Amino acid sequence: MSQIWKLDGWVIFKELGDQCFLIEFQKMVDKDKVLSGRPWFFDRHLLTMMEVDETVSIHALQFRFEPFWVQLHNLPLATMTEDFGQQFAGSIGHVIRVEAEADGHAWGRCLRVRVAVDLHKPLLRGKWLKLGEKQHWISFKYERLQSFCFKCGVLSHKGRNCARLRAEQQGDEQASYQFGPWLRGQPRNTNIFDRRRYGGGGDGNQHSGE
Ligand SMILES: [Zn+2]
């Protein structure tokens, strides 16, 4: 993992059991880089992460949310704004931030929103938007999404671990899927650590504690 992360300092993995690890970083900048680069997949499995301090008990931790960049496609130009993204993407999960210029407008083929996605809820495939008399289907694509359950649409399990899929296969029904690889969004930045600069030298990616 540390090779994938390309860190400056050392990193130590301490196994806590039950596929749970405590990761210690030598350098704060490395920790920030890893946390802001989420989600991470290892061997196609989602690596859920949480920032902890020494006052918490490991047993009290609940890994329930993971931040993703979600792309909102087919938005009318008037809605390509930070305010709209905040409000509209709220149905996906808690909105951490919207990628937009300093004046609140966004340009590009889609609006990118950083959202804390609930691992136990089905991924939202899109949502209708009514603007004037017109209805628009806004589709959602999840960047860097790898494995998830094509049956239930959740990130917390997949494939053979799916109870619904097993139940269907035990019956004579042909398994049908409502979710698929088309939920994956092509990342817009080839380098995910690419720091985008806006106007006065502000740095859009520097949000610690996401
Ligand atoms: Zn499932």
Side-chain angles (χ1 to χ4, degrees):
M1 232 27 237
S2 50
Q3 279 157 9
I4 298 171
W5 289 335
K6 298 186 181 76
L7 305 178
D8 290 338
W10 51 252
V11 58
I12 300 174
F13 285 74
K14 290 177 189 154
E15 190 166 2
L16 304 175
D18 205 17
Q19 297 185 324
C20 186
F21 295 87
L22 187 70
I23 310 172
E24 193 182 340
F25 295 92
Q26 181 190 14
K27 296 189 176 175
M28 190 65 106
V29 62
D30 284 342
K31 187 186 83 173
D32 290 344
K33 187 174 170 179
V34 168
L35 287 175
S36 65
R38 287 178 290 176
W40 294 103
F41 285 79
F42 180 65
D43 209 10
R44 299 187 64 79
H45 292 281
L46 176 67
L47 205 66
T48 55
M49 287 189 170
M50 256 173 125
E51 194 173 7
V52 294
D53 62 44
E54 292 159 334
T55 62
V56 299
S57 150
I58 297 300
H59 302 284
L61 298 179
Q62 284 191 327
F63 293 91
R64 193 160 162 205
F65 301 95
E66 200 62 18
F68 277 76
W69 278 109
V70 185
Q71 301 171 349
L72 279 53
H73 288 264
N74 311 325
L75 282 175
L77 282 176
T79 59
M80 292 282 287
T81 67
E82 186 170 4
D83 288 348
F84 178 83
Q86 275 282 352
Q87 170 238 313
F88 196 72
S91 49
I92 307 171
H94 168 68
V95 176
I96 299 160
R97 71 187 195 90
V98 179
E99 188 182 71
E101 306 277 333
D103 66 359
H105 287 274
W107 305 102
R109 60 183 170 87
C110 59
L111 186 65
R112 294 176 79 233
V113 185
R114 184 88 163 145
V115 185
V117 174
D118 190 325
L119 307 179
H120 298 286
K121 287 190 182 159
L123 296 171
L124 274 188
R125 291 162 287 186
K127 190 178 159 184
W128 286 102
L129 164 69
K130 189 164 189 268
L131 197 69
E133 289 304 304
K134 273 193 182 164
Q135 292 272 13
H136 303 261
W137 174 250
I138 312 303
S139 59
F140 301 153
K141 306 252 182 223
Y142 298 75
E143 292 183 11
R144 310 183 71 227
L145 174 65
Q146 290 191 24
S147 48
F148 64 102
C149 181
F150 285 180
K151 186 76 208 165
C152 317
V154 299
L155 284 150
S156 51
H157 70 256
K158 60 168 184 163
R160 281 168 300 162
N161 296 324
C162 179
R164 277 174 68 182
L165 186 64
R166 277 202 307 268
E168 248 176 54
Q169 286 173 339
Q170 274 161 15
D172 277 340
E173 297 169 59
Q174 191 75 21
S176 60
Y177 297 91
Q178 288 186 52
F179 299 87
W182 37 267
L183 269 177
R184 296 177 184 137
Q186 205 60 251
R188 207 164 80 180
N189 306 326
T190 42
N191 178 2
I192 51 153
F193 299 131
D194 178 32
R195 293 188 172 180
R196 312 183 135 252
R197 297 206 171 271
Y198 304 113
D203 188 340
N205 261 352
Q206 283 292 55
H207 281 237
S208 55
E210 287 183 1

